[in-house]
Structure formats: structure tokens, C-alpha cells
């Protein structure tokens, strides 16, 4: 019970509602734009481009911020194109691409902690986009174009650059700290030690394995396996066991919430249209709450982000009550794969920590 209380412990000082409202205000722009033009299939790219651009914002002078976010958006556009191209191909290519992208993200720690976080964000987006495109490819009533998905992602990131420019003018052209000040901003180079390299390889193998399991077997609502594995996985060897437990529990809570909310998508016609628009709003609100409660409680933050992502990914696929069992089962499989990685990482960290230098 003591460990459980720590998983759900709250820090009142960690609430940041102004930041959450800013995310909601900015997210409403692409939401209404795609409602107006009638292409909601591109909404997920715009929302993730906006949210992840905000997370990657390093702060400082506006020129430096705009250049950094633009570079992040450019790399993200390439990742988006790869995900939506590979997502419609044979599952073997998807496995190979997932392994390469995940391994590259893990090794990005050599360029500094902040760039490592940027790489992890793009890694998460690649897995989400891969599952989303695979679901779209199976849904014959939905049409998606790679160039439009890339444009949607780039537009979301460009929206954040425009918002920061307006705020920079309002504040009298003064420098500002990074929006998510709790995230590390260190860009100093780090040496790639053997444990870090091995852990990056293990992560890449696990994510590639979950992609092979999900898409190779053509399971129902299969994208939940790699997404749950990625969301539940801690990004480095040094993270505490408590954070790992919070992320695992949060992912399961988010999967249950998303599964229950997606049941009404079994409707048809006008009612289905209304339900889908309502769920898009719910997903945006969940992402907003994730931005506001990140340091209030990590468990509920993970739940909000997981639920929002899974709702957006699964909207093109009609659902029913029977699908709930599949969703929860695949989520457990994905989380279980992450748990194996956490245990292996713990063993590696333990062996490294207990090693003693031999006398010369």
C-alpha cells in the first residue's frame, strides 16, 4: 500500500493550468480548421506537431527558438513521411523502420539531454503515426495522402512558432525561458557508454518486436501494442523505479478510459459523425490536462497522454464492446514488453553500479 500511495501521490505545486490553457487555445486552431475543410484524418498530425514543437522549444532569444523548433519540425516531417509511407507497406518494412528509428532516438543522448528528449518525442510520434496509417489503410472509407500528413505536422509546428512570435512581440521582444521549464535543457555532449548503447539496442528490439507482433499477425486494433509499449517505456537507464511504475499504471488507466470512450463509434451516419467530433474534442482536452498536470502526478499525466493518443489513433476504426477486450489485451502485451525492458535495464544498471575497478 505504501508503494501504491507513492504511485498516486500528488504535488500541488506541480499544477500549471496557464500552460494547459495555452495548449488548448493553440490546439483549437487546427481542430476548427480541419472541421471546416472536412479532413479530420489529418488532425492527429497537426495536434502532435503543435504539442511536440512546444515540448522541444528550448527558450531563449526568439531567433534561436524559431530556428531550433524549425529544425525539429523538419526532422519530424521526414519521420512523418516515413511513417505514413511504411504504414501502408508490408509489415517487414515497418519492423525494420521501427528498429532503425528507435535505435537512432536512443543513441541521440550523445548530443545532449535536450536533443535526446527531442529524439524521443519524434520516436513516439513515429510509432503513433505508424499505427494510425495502418488503421487508415484497413479502413476503406478513409483516404489519406502522405504529403498532406507531412503538411499537417509541419503546420502544427509552424503554428507554435507563430504563437511564440506573437507572445514575443507582446512581451516587448524579450527573451523567455523554455515553456516546459521542467524538462532538461542541457545540450552538452555525452559519451555513449556500453550500458547506454546496449539499452538503446534492447529498446529498439522490443519496439520492433511489438510492431512485428501487432502488424505481422494482423490483429484487431493491433496498433495499441506498440503504442502502449512506447508510452509505458522509460526513456533512459537512470530513471527511478517509481517513475517506471507510474508510467505503466498510467498507460493501463489511459487505455481503459480510451477503450470506454471509443465504444460509441459503433454508431452510423449522422450520430457517428457527431460522436467522432466529440471524441476529437475529448482527446484535445486530455492532451491539455496532460500539459497541466505533468508534475502534479506522473501517473495521471501518463494516463491523459495515452488516452488522448489512443483515441485519435483508433477513431477511423469502428468499435463495439467486443473490441474492449482486444484493446486491453494488446495494451497489457505492450506494457508487458516494456516491463521486460525495465527489468533488463535494472539488471544492467545493477551490474554497472556494483562493478569495482580492479587494482593495477
Amino acid at each position: 500500500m505504501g508503494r501504491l500511495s507513492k504511485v498516486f501521490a500528488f504535488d500541488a505545486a506541480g499544477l500549471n493550468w496557464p500552460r494547459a490553457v495555452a495548449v488548448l487555445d493553440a490546439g483549437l486552431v487546427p481542430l476548427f480548421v480541419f472541421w471546416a475543410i472536412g479532413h479530420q484524418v489529418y488532425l492527429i498530425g497537426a495536434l502532435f506537431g503543435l504539442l511536440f514543437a512546444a515540448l522541444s522549444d528550448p527558450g531563449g532569444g526568439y531567433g534561436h527558438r524559431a530556428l531550433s523548433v524549425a529544425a525539429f519540425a523538419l526532422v519530424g516531417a521526414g519521420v512523418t513521411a516515413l511513417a505514413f509511407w511504411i504504414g501502408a507497406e508490408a509489415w517487414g518494412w515497418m519492423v525494420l523502420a521501427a528498429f532503425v528509428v528507435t535505435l537512432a532516438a536512443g543513441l541521440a543522448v550523445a548530443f545532449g539531454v535536450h536533443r535526446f528528449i527531442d529524439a524521443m518525442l519524434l520516436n513516439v510520434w513515429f510509432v503513433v503515426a505508424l499505427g494510425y496509417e495502418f488503421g487508415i489503410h484497413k479502413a476503406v472509407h478513409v483516404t489519406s495522402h502522405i504529403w498532406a500528413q507531412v503538411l499537417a505536422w509541419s503546420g502544427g509546428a509552424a503554428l507554435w512558432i507563430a504563437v511564440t512570435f506573437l507572445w514575443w512581440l507582446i512581451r516587448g521582444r524579450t527573451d523567455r525561458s523554455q515553456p516546459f521549464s521542467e524538462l532538461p535543457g542541457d545540450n552538452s555532449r555525452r559519451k555513449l557508454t556500453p550500458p547506454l548503447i546496449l539499452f538503446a539496442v534492447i529498446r529498439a528490439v522490443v519496439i520492433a518486436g511489438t510492431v512485428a507482433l501487432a502488424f505481422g499477425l494482423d490483429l484487431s486494433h493491433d496498433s495499441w501494442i506498440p503504442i502502449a509499449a512506447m508510452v509505458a517505456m522509460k526513456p533512459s537507464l537512470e530513471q527511478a523505479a517509481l517513475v517506471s511504475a507510474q508510467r505503466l499504471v498510467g498507460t493501463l488507466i489511459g487505455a481503459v478510459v480510451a477503450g470506454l470512450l471509443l465504444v460509441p463509434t459503433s454508431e452510423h451516419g449522422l450520430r457517428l459523425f457527431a460522436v467522432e467530433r466529440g471524441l476529437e474534442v475529448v482527446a484535445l482536452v486530455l492532451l491539455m490536462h496532460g500539459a497541466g498536470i505533468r508534475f502534479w502526478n506522473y501517473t495521471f499525466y501518463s494516463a491523459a497522454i495515452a488516452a488522448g493518443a489512443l483515441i485519435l489513433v483508433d477513431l477511423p476504426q469502428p468499435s463495439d464492446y467486443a473490441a474492449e477486450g482486444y484493446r486491453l489485451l494488446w495494451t497489457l502485451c505492450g506494457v508487458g514488453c516494456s516491463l521486460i525492458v525495465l527489468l533488463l535495464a535494472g539488471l544492467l544498471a545493477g551490474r554497472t553500479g556494483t562493478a569495482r575497478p580492479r587494482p593495477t
Side-chain angles (χ1 to χ4, degrees), residues 49 52-54 56-75 114 118 154 156-166 168 174-179:
F52 285 177
S56 70
D57 191 338
Y62 178 74
H64 169 67
R65 296 174 65 187
L67 184 62
S68 178
V69 175
F72 175 82
L74 182 62
V75 177
H114 185 75
D118 290 349
S154 304
L159 176 60
W160 178 253
I161 296 176
V163 168
T164 54
F165 177 72
L166 293 175
W168 177 67
T174 57
D175 296 348
R176 190 183 179 190
S177 60
Q178 61 186 102

Side-chain angles (χ1 to χ4, degrees), residues 12-75:
L15 289 173
N16 195 328
W17 291 120
R19 182 168 63 194
V21 173
V23 171
L24 178 62
D25 290 344
L28 286 173
V29 175
L31 183 66
F32 283 110
V33 166
F34 287 111
W35 278 0
I37 64 178
H39 293 285
Q40 292 82 9
V41 70
Y42 305 113
L43 176 62
I44 185 172
L47 289 179
F48 273 88
L50 170 65
L51 178 62
F52 285 177
L55 288 168
S56 70
D57 191 338
Y62 178 74
H64 169 67
R65 296 174 65 187
L67 184 62
S68 178
V69 175
F72 175 82
L74 182 62
V75 177

Side-chain angles (χ1 to χ4, degrees), residues 8 26-27 38 43 69-71 96 105 152 155 172 179 182 189 191 232 246 276 305 308 316 328:
F8 293 99
L43 176 62
V69 175
L96 178 61
E182 302 89 349
R189 297 294 182 91
K191 183 179 180 181
Q246 287 177 317
E276 288 180 342
I305 297 299
L328 295 181

Side-chain angles (χ1 to χ4, degrees), residues 201-350:
V201 172
I202 292 173
R203 287 186 68 256
V205 170
V206 170
I207 295 303
T210 56
V211 169
L213 178 64
F215 304 130
L217 297 179
D218 196 17
L219 304 173
S220 176
H221 304 283
D222 39 22
S223 61
W224 284 49
I225 301 178
I227 292 175
M230 177 58 68
V231 174
M233 193 175 296
K234 67 178 183 179
S236 71
L237 269 174
E238 292 81 5
Q239 275 193 305
L242 175 61
V243 175
S244 304
Q246 287 177 317
R247 185 171 292 197
L248 292 171
V249 174
T251 303
L252 288 175
I253 294 175
V256 172
V257 172
L260 294 176
L261 290 173
L262 284 165
V263 168
T265 56
S266 59
E267 300 290 344
H268 300 280
L270 185 60
R271 294 187 63 180
L272 175 60
F273 177 83
V275 168
E276 288 180 342
R277 303 294 78 77
L279 286 176
E280 289 169 353
V281 174
V282 170
L284 177 59
V285 171
L286 285 168
L287 295 177
M288 176 208 78
H289 280 78
I293 66 175
R294 168 64 179 82
F295 293 91
W296 174 68
N297 180 267
Y298 192 72
T299 302
F300 288 107
Y301 159 79
S302 300
I305 297 299
L310 291 170
I311 287 173
L312 290 173
V313 167
D314 230 27
L315 270 181
Q317 304 180 53
S319 180
D320 52 37
Y321 286 100
E324 299 313 300
Y326 288 113
R327 289 192 178 106
L328 295 181
L329 176 60
W330 304 152
T331 301
L332 287 172
C333 289
V335 171
C337 293
S338 294
L339 182 59
I340 293 174
V341 171
L342 300 183
L343 293 175
L344 291 175
L347 291 175
L348 288 173

Side-chain angles (χ1 to χ4, degrees), residues 54-149:
L55 288 168
S56 70
D57 191 338
Y62 178 74
H64 169 67
R65 296 174 65 187
L67 184 62
S68 178
V69 175
F72 175 82
L74 182 62
V75 177
V79 170
T80 303
L82 177 62
F84 283 95
W85 172 51
I86 293 293
E89 299 296 327
W91 65 271
W93 290 107
M94 300 167 65
V95 173
L96 178 61
F99 176 83
V100 172
V101 172
T102 306
L103 180 61
L107 298 178
V109 70
F111 300 99
V113 180
H114 185 75
R115 291 190 177 94
F116 171 68
I117 293 175
D118 290 349
M120 292 300 300
L121 292 174
L122 293 177
N123 192 187
V124 171
W125 165 237
F126 176 79
V127 174
V128 171
L130 198 66
Y132 187 60
E133 172 59 22
F134 190 79
I136 292 175
H137 189 65
K138 293 169 61 177
V140 294
H141 64 285
V142 181
T143 302
S144 172
H145 300 283
I146 297 176
W147 65 267
Q149 294 288 357

